[in-house]
Amino acid sequence: MTIKARRQTTQVRIGDKYVGSEHPIMVQSMTNTPTEDFEATARQVIELADAGSEVVRITVNTREAAIAVPKIVSFLERAGRPVPLVGDFHFNGHHLLREYPDCAANLAKYRINPGNVGRGEKHDDNFKQMIDVAVRHQKPVRIGVNWGSLDQDLLAKMMDENAKSQDPKPASTILIDAIVESAISSAKMAEAYGLPHDAIILSAKVSEVPELITVYRKLAAVCDYPLHLGLTEAGMGDKGIIASSIALGTILADGIGDTIRVSLTPQPGAPRQKEVEICLQILQSLQLRSFSAQVTACPGCGRTTSTVFQELAQEIQNHLKQKRNQWQKQYPGSENLKVAVMGCIVNGPGESKYADIGISLPGTGEDPRAPVYVDGSYIKTLEGARLANDFIDMVDDYVARKYGVLV
């Protein structure tokens, strides 16, 4: 199955990268360090980029944070990691962008939440001030609507109109419609203020999976702006991972979405990169992009009472993860590698033949021998104490032979 072509046709430049149209779906993430601490923030940006994040968003909520932005960019450039940074603005963004031009100039993109720029007359004026800065510095803007901070004036107006109609819709439907209307009307307003059509990205985030799918289907049907996908406040652990994967996977399978982020709450003190790894796996599982070699391994059953295949699968997975960045540079194309580590004779030989390189380990009561298949053909049988190391060596040799660049 091939995921159908995406509907959003406008392309937007972010730094030296493009999002939208036929460009690869971009992976994003966000720091959780105090932006004022420019060294800690820059180091986390590098960690996220090393994990696979192509754009990183940072909070710009204080004058000290705005002052730190050029320092973060300088740190990244000195480190040889000029990662595009997105400034996340709420409530006081019109002041910060106007008063700190170095901050505005060094960011690759601004994120503006139309629900958090003021109410009444202040809303349009504050929004215009931010758009004016984006136009002056030729920066793209993500207009990011969030149902937790939706424009209350717009929502109240739409609720009142619905209540007066002869066939009123459920309140939940009006809420979704208000999110879409806020995004579209804000984009039109930004264009009226001079922001080019191809400098606008939209997002419409909610924290419930069915509603997120609905809102993006509606949004995609009425615009051609690139869409940033994300389940906001997804949560911690398995809940956040599963909910984000279902929501983003469903929307992407519809052919909708141009950039993604998994908003996963990390365990206290845990590294931030997990959300990036999940994004990569969602895209790779849908065969939309390839980032690193993949391991196919059976779940185990009563025929596999030994943990050898589990240990080898984990060892291989760790080895491929460690080699990812090196192989991307040294062996282009190796991100498409498929390795099978199977636990018994039932599906072992078949799955191993389907992989680029695979090993079928013995199940309970089977001969302690493990045949290896390369490109669908039996090559040799491994056994003994060095079986795991021997197979890893074979994987490394295969990568070098298949993906090595001749000079």
Side-chain angles (χ1 to χ4, degrees):
M1 173 183 174
T2 301
I3 303 299
K4 59 187 177 183
R6 284 172 282 141
R7 304 173 192 170
Q8 274 43 59
T9 55
T10 300
Q11 63 177 12
V12 175
R13 184 172 181 174
I14 304 174
D16 62 349
K17 305 176 186 296
Y18 282 91
V19 63
S21 187
E22 295 306 310
H23 296 283
I25 296 170
M26 182 180 287
V27 174
Q28 299 193 27
S29 58
M30 185 173 185
T31 59
N32 61 357
T33 54
T35 307
E36 295 85 349
D37 186 344
F38 77 90
E39 290 190 357
T41 301
R43 290 193 186 98
Q44 191 173 75
V45 169
I46 292 173
E47 291 172 356
L48 292 167
D50 286 344
S53 184
E54 294 157 303
V55 173
V56 177
R57 182 156 50 111
I58 61 175
T59 297
V60 187
N61 59 333
T62 64
R63 287 173 167 79
E64 292 75 17
I67 292 170
V69 168
K71 298 178 183 179
I72 296 168
V73 172
S74 178
F75 188 106
L76 296 174
E77 290 175 346
R78 291 197 305 272
R81 300 304 306 275
V83 183
L85 299 181
V86 179
D88 194 53
F89 295 97
H90 298 271
F91 309 113
N92 61 352
H94 55 295
H95 292 305
L96 298 178
L97 283 170
R98 189 183 68 248
E99 295 172 12
Y100 296 92
D102 285 348
C103 167
N106 277 274
L107 292 168
K109 185 179 75 172
Y110 311 153
R111 187 275 177 131
I112 301 175
N113 182 338
N116 286 340
V117 297
R119 299 188 67 173
E121 294 180 359
K122 290 183 177 180
H123 177 282
D124 291 2
D125 183 59
N126 293 349
F127 185 76
K128 183 178 185 301
Q129 289 184 54
M130 301 175 78
I131 297 301
D132 286 345
V133 175
V135 172
R136 183 161 61 249
H137 290 281
Q138 297 183 317
K139 303 293 182 179
V141 171
R142 170 159 72 92
I143 296 173
V145 180
N146 191 308
W147 76 349
S149 51
L150 183 60
D151 184 333
Q152 293 302 300
D153 293 334
L154 173 64
L155 179 61
K157 176 186 174 184
M158 293 181 66
M159 286 291 188
D160 288 344
E161 291 174 351
N162 181 63
K164 295 174 183 177
S165 70
Q166 294 183 348
D167 186 20
K169 301 176 183 177
S172 58
T173 300
I174 301 303
L175 177 60
I176 295 297
D177 290 345
I179 293 172
V180 174
E181 175 59 27
S182 178
I184 296 299
S185 62
S186 297
K188 291 179 179 178
M189 185 182 295
E191 289 194 56
Y193 293 150
L195 190 66
H197 187 84
D198 63 356
I200 298 173
I201 297 170
L202 300 184
S203 66
K205 294 188 175 184
V206 303
S207 57
E208 298 294 336
V209 172
E211 283 79 3
L212 191 79
I213 295 169
T214 299
V215 75
Y216 272 102
R217 285 174 174 169
K218 288 190 173 187
L219 188 57
V222 295
C223 76
D224 67 350
Y225 301 109
L227 301 181
H228 170 74
L229 307 185
L231 185 73
T232 191
E233 287 91 37
M236 300 179 69
D238 290 345
K239 186 267 183 186
I241 294 171
I242 293 168
S244 294
S245 299
I246 292 172
L248 271 60
T250 301
I251 299 167
L252 289 166
D254 276 350
I256 299 169
D258 303 279
T259 103
I260 67 170
R261 182 200 171 197
V262 169
S263 300
L264 190 67
T265 305
Q267 294 289 338
R272 188 71 163 172
Q273 297 94 305
K274 187 68 175 178
E275 67 175 46
V276 180
E277 295 171 1
I278 298 166
C279 285
L280 303 185
Q281 196 58 59
I282 290 172
L283 293 177
Q284 190 143 353
S285 295
L286 289 169
Q287 299 179 5
L288 290 168
R289 292 187 67 181
S290 293
F291 299 95
S292 61
Q294 299 285 289
V295 175
T296 298
C298 69
C301 65
R303 299 176 63 94
T304 56
T305 54
S306 169
T307 61
V308 173
F309 83 95
Q310 298 167 331
E311 294 162 358
L312 180 56
Q314 185 63 58
E315 196 170 345
I316 287 289
Q317 187 67 64
N318 292 340
H319 181 73
L320 298 179
K321 186 176 180 180
Q322 292 169 2
K323 292 285 188 178
R324 183 174 72 90
N325 290 333
Q326 176 190 336
W327 282 358
Q328 282 182 344
K329 298 174 183 177
Q330 190 174 1
Y331 302 121
S334 61
E335 64 273 10
N336 297 305
L337 177 72
K338 291 181 173 58
V339 181
V341 180
M342 304 302 294
C344 78
I345 199 171
V346 173
N347 292 317
E351 285 286 356
S352 296
K353 290 176 183 178
Y354 291 136
D356 294 306
I357 178 169
I359 185 169
S360 179
L361 293 160
T364 304
E366 296 176 16
D367 292 336
R369 296 160 60 82
V372 176
Y373 299 82
V374 175
D375 293 330
S377 299
Y378 167 78
I379 296 298
K380 64 186 299 185
T381 296
L382 300 178
E383 56 185 315
R386 280 193 50 83
L387 185 150
N389 291 332
D390 290 342
F391 184 65
I392 289 174
D393 288 343
M394 291 184 70
V395 171
D396 288 345
D397 290 342
Y398 181 86
V399 170
R401 282 188 290 104
K402 182 169 183 177
Y403 303 105
V405 178
L406 297 177
V407 275

